[in-house]
Every structure is written in C-alpha cells, then in structure tokens.
Amino acid sequence: MPYAGAPPKRVRTSKARTPREIVQHMTDAEAKDYLLELVEAFGPLVTNEMHPVDEWARHLPKKQRRLAIALYDSEWGLSREVLCQALYFDDLNRECNEDQALSSAVKHLRRRLPKHLKIKNLHGYGYQMVGQRAL
C-alpha cells in the first residue's frame, strides 16, 4: 500500500471545479451544507488568526501562507483540487489551473520552508507536509 490510511486516490481533472460549479447541480439544502463545510474547513486560512506556521510563515504572501496552513494541518496530505480551493478561497469565480498555479505555489513555498519541514509529492493525488511539527 503506497499511503496507508491515506484518503483514496482521485482521478485528476484538467482543471479544478469552482465551488460555484459544484453547487450548481445540488439542491438548496445540499449546496448550503457544502458551502458551510467549505467555510469551516478554509475559514482559518483567510483570517488573521495566529497559527503554528506563523512562526516562520508571517512573511509569506497570502496564498503561500494559505497553502502552508492547509498542508500543515493535514496529517495525510491533500489532493490537488482541495489545495486549489485553499489557494483561491476568496475568489470563487477563479479557476485554478492545477498543473501550473499549484505547482508554482508549492515550488515557491518549498524554498521558504524551515529545514525541519518538507513538502512531499503524493503521486497522482497531491502533496503532504512531512517533518516535525510544533505541539
């Protein structure tokens, strides 16, 4: 097993769907529940609340900080689609070209990580932050 306990692999699409596209075919109740889940999941990413990564990530641009927080909080890694949603949480109309925008953001974030943290590729799935985290 390549990633024991990891979420199942997802088929990678050519571009991530926006939340607007996802809720378009849902009932009102389903759409409301889905959007509330998004706000709960990504809300801390867009606020100015202190987070353990802020010890070394305060100077990062907004999107790199969001990416760092999302990866730091995920034990098993995140799919490329979820990371794109984290990057463009504040712009629901923007589509994320997974192959370029996300790869570029990860590349720049890797350069700025402290030595005890690394970002690992999860082939066909996404990325995972590995290393010693603060308690």
Side-chain angles (χ1 to χ4, degrees), residues 15-111:
K15 61 182 178 180
R17 295 178 5 183
T18 63
R20 187 179 306 278
E21 292 171 337
I22 293 170
V23 300
Q24 172 178 341
H25 302 290
M26 294 180 177
T27 66
D28 287 345
E30 290 171 334
K32 179 180 168 186
D33 288 341
Y34 173 77
L35 293 172
L36 286 174
E37 286 176 17
L38 275 182
V39 169
E40 288 172 357
F42 296 123
L45 299 178
V46 294
T47 65
N48 290 327
E49 294 176 21
M50 289 298 289
H51 190 277
V53 302
D54 286 333
E55 291 178 22
W56 52 268
R58 279 189 302 263
H59 64 282
L60 292 177
K62 177 173 64 172
K63 289 182 178 148
Q64 286 182 20
R65 180 178 177 271
R66 287 182 193 171
L67 185 62
I69 290 172
L71 286 168
Y72 188 90
D73 286 345
S74 172
E75 185 177 336
W76 294 107
L78 294 171
S79 71
R80 294 180 68 86
E81 184 176 337
V82 169
L83 289 170
C84 277
Q85 289 176 352
L87 280 178
Y88 297 110
F89 178 78
D90 58 344
D91 189 359
L92 297 179
N93 294 319
R94 169 129 185 194
E95 293 181 7
C96 176
N97 181 341
E98 290 182 35
D99 293 330
Q100 292 179 347
L102 182 59
S103 296
S104 176
V106 169
K107 176 179 133 183
H108 292 294
L109 180 58
R110 279 181 170 144
R111 292 179 185 167

